């Protein structure tokens, strides 16, 4: 009996595994198709604000996939597959090019784009990025590439590529800082312009003294090294006043704005531009 149960169990298990493998293969071929036709892929843009004055300074491009069968997919649903299949290269190119085209008419804001390990390890990728910037007429100093410590530490070649980007004038951001094997010494050793403190710290701020101490230490060190500090995941008024008091230069989070569709992003920029014309200064937080 036990043996028979075991065998049945095994069959169920392999059937489930088969199905998962088939699902992944299907999703991969659908993603490949979407990248060829451009159908269904889109970018939401989440604004970043200065903590002082709350001027809008940048947008982070966050990819989404409106899937014909499965509905709206988030990056967590398909980035693994993109990375494993190599599709992260055309996907990353698509995000970069689309983001540059969308924001090219708005010289007052920067564009932040997330970068995966597969992109950084690809030969010729630096040159390719520079080519996309040239073709879209996007100013290099307005582009920010977001990489995680994970990516940098797993990839010896990454550091050299980041240096190449940086010497071309592109900004490098260390994303999700504080997760993984964070070390303050990275700030000094790596060629980076900006650190984004992971939202887990920001969300602990109100209760945890440690989170406060960590953010304060990072902003202090950042200031002395010329590395600017952003707080991500600001969801409450209290978190906003903490990150401001602790010395973070910029912030991002649902309290300030959720990621916006491309159309809403343009509307917001046009609205802000009209305010500048009318009053000479944009009104903070107003939209
Ligand atoms: P990330 O770069 O750390 O991006 C921030 C994520 O936090 C986004 O999730 C954003 O929607 C979410 N977020 C922003 N503010 C808040 C907040 O106040 N509270 C909470 N709970 N969440 C907030 P999303 O869009 O699901 O992206 C997840 C991750 O996927 C990103 O994390 C990034 O690592 C990756 N990703 C997104 N787009 C791309 C892309 O085009 N290329 C690559 N390689 N990775 C991407
Ligand atoms: Mg990011
Ligand atoms: Mg992040
Ligand atoms: Mg994060």
């Amino acid at each position: 009996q036990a043996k028979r149960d075991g065998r049945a169990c095994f069959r169920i298990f392999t059937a489930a595994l088969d199905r998962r493998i088939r699902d992944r293969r299907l999703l991969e071929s659908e993603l490949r198709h979407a990248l060829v036709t451009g159908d269904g892929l889109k970018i939401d843009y989440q604004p970043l604000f200065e903590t002082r004055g709350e001027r809008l300074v940048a947008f982070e491009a966050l990819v989404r996939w409106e899937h014909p069968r499965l509905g709206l997919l988030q990056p967590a649903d398909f980035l693994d597959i993109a990375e494993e299949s190599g599709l992260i290269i055309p996907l990353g190119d698509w995000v970069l090019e689309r983001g540059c085209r969308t924001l090219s008419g708005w010289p007052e804001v920067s564009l932040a784009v997330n970068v995966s390990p597969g992109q950084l390890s690809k030969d010729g990728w630096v040159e390719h990025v520079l080519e996309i910037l040239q073709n879209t007429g996007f100013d290099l100093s307005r582009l920010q590439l977001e990489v995680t410590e994970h990516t940098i530490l797993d990839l010896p070649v990454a550091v050299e590529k980041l240096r190449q980007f940086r010497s071309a004038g592109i900004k490098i951001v260390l994303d999700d800082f504080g997760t993984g094997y964070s070390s303050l010494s990275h700030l000094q050793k790596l060629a980076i312009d900006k650190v984004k403190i992971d939202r887990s710290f920001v969300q602990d701020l109100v209760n945890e003294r440690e989170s406060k101490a960590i953010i304060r230490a990072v902003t202090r060190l950042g200031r002395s090294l010329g590395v600017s500090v952003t707080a991500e995941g600001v969801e409450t008024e209290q978190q906003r006043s903490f990150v401001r008091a602790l010395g973070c230069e910029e912030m991002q989070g649902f309290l300030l704005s959720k990621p916006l569709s491309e159309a809403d992003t343009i509307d917001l920029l046009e609205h802000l531009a009209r305010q500048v014309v009318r009053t000479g200064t944009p009104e903070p937080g107003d939209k």
Side-chain angles (χ1 to χ4, degrees):
Q1 177 66 40
K3 204 168 171 186
R4 209 182 314 137
D5 282 355
R7 231 179 281 133
C9 227
F10 183 69
R11 253 196 322 268
I12 291 168
F13 175 73
T14 50
L17 195 66
D18 271 0
R19 188 159 2 93
R20 276 191 43 194
I21 292 171
R22 259 186 290 119
D23 286 352
R24 285 180 80 91
R25 292 242 173 86
L26 180 58
L27 210 57
E28 181 188 321
S29 75
E30 287 167 333
L31 180 58
R32 181 168 285 124
H33 184 73
L35 281 163
V36 172
T37 60
D39 285 346
L41 290 171
K42 54 179 201 155
I43 303 177
D44 281 353
Y45 297 87
Q46 191 179 28
L48 280 96
F49 297 87
E50 283 175 349
T51 49
R52 256 183 293 166
E54 301 206 350
R55 190 167 66 94
L56 193 164
V57 285
F59 286 94
E60 178 172 7
L62 298 162
V63 69
R64 276 92 181 86
W65 182 13
E66 191 72 68
H67 190 281
R69 266 182 308 121
L70 303 170
L72 182 65
L73 300 184
Q74 300 297 317
D77 301 323
F78 61 91
L79 276 182
D80 275 359
I81 289 176
E83 183 75 22
E84 279 165 28
S85 60
L87 289 174
I88 192 69
I89 302 293
L91 180 64
D93 289 351
W94 183 84
V95 170
L96 180 63
E97 178 156 3
R98 180 81 184 205
C100 287
R101 291 205 190 280
T102 302
L103 294 186
S104 63
W106 304 95
E108 53 286 324
V109 290
S110 293
L111 170 69
V113 170
N114 293 285
V115 173
S116 288
Q119 295 172 280
L120 272 175
S121 51
K122 175 117 167 73
D123 282 342
W125 189 65
V126 176
E127 294 73 14
H128 190 57
V129 168
L130 296 177
E131 209 177 281
I132 292 177
L133 291 175
Q134 184 144 44
N135 292 342
T136 54
F138 200 84
D139 181 19
L140 293 112
S141 65
R142 286 170 60 205
L143 180 66
Q144 307 180 354
L145 297 179
E146 299 199 354
V147 292
T148 63
E149 292 174 292
H150 221 84
T151 300
I152 293 178
L153 294 177
D154 291 349
L155 265 182
V157 298
V159 177
E160 181 45 37
K161 299 224 172 143
L162 295 181
R163 278 187 214 291
Q164 292 174 24
F165 280 121
R166 228 178 155 221
S167 56
I170 292 168
K171 306 279 189 303
I172 305 298
V173 181
L174 200 52
D175 203 354
D176 299 342
F177 189 76
T179 59
Y181 1 57
S182 276
S183 150
L184 287 176
S185 69
H186 292 156
L187 295 190
Q188 192 189 1
K189 274 193 302 224
L190 301 169
I192 54 167
D193 301 279
K194 211 163 143 179
V195 171
K196 257 195 198 180
I197 297 181
D198 192 67
R199 67 167 184 260
S200 55
F201 291 94
V202 175
Q203 287 167 6
D204 271 359
L205 261 182
V206 179
N207 303 314
E208 305 278 339
R209 290 188 47 218
E210 291 83 3
S211 295
K212 224 176 283 177
I214 289 167
I215 296 183
R216 190 175 286 125
V218 174
T219 51
R220 277 217 188 114
L221 185 66
R223 204 163 302 133
S224 64
L225 295 173
V227 175
S228 133
V229 177
T230 301
E232 68 171 18
V234 176
E235 291 181 352
T236 67
E237 292 291 349
Q238 216 175 1
Q239 288 163 358
R240 164 160 56 185
S241 26
F242 269 119
V243 304
R244 193 179 276 150
L246 290 171
C248 297
E249 276 92 356
E250 291 176 15
M251 58 186 168
Q252 174 181 20
F254 293 166
L255 175 71
L256 301 137
S257 171
K258 296 229 158 147
L260 305 172
S261 70
E262 189 179 282
D264 286 348
T265 301
I266 299 298
D267 281 352
L268 173 60
L269 284 165
E270 282 172 351
H271 178 81
L272 291 173
R274 277 196 301 275
Q275 277 185 340
V276 175
V277 171
R278 216 172 46 230
T279 66
T281 48
E283 275 155 43
D286 190 310
K287 59 171 213 174

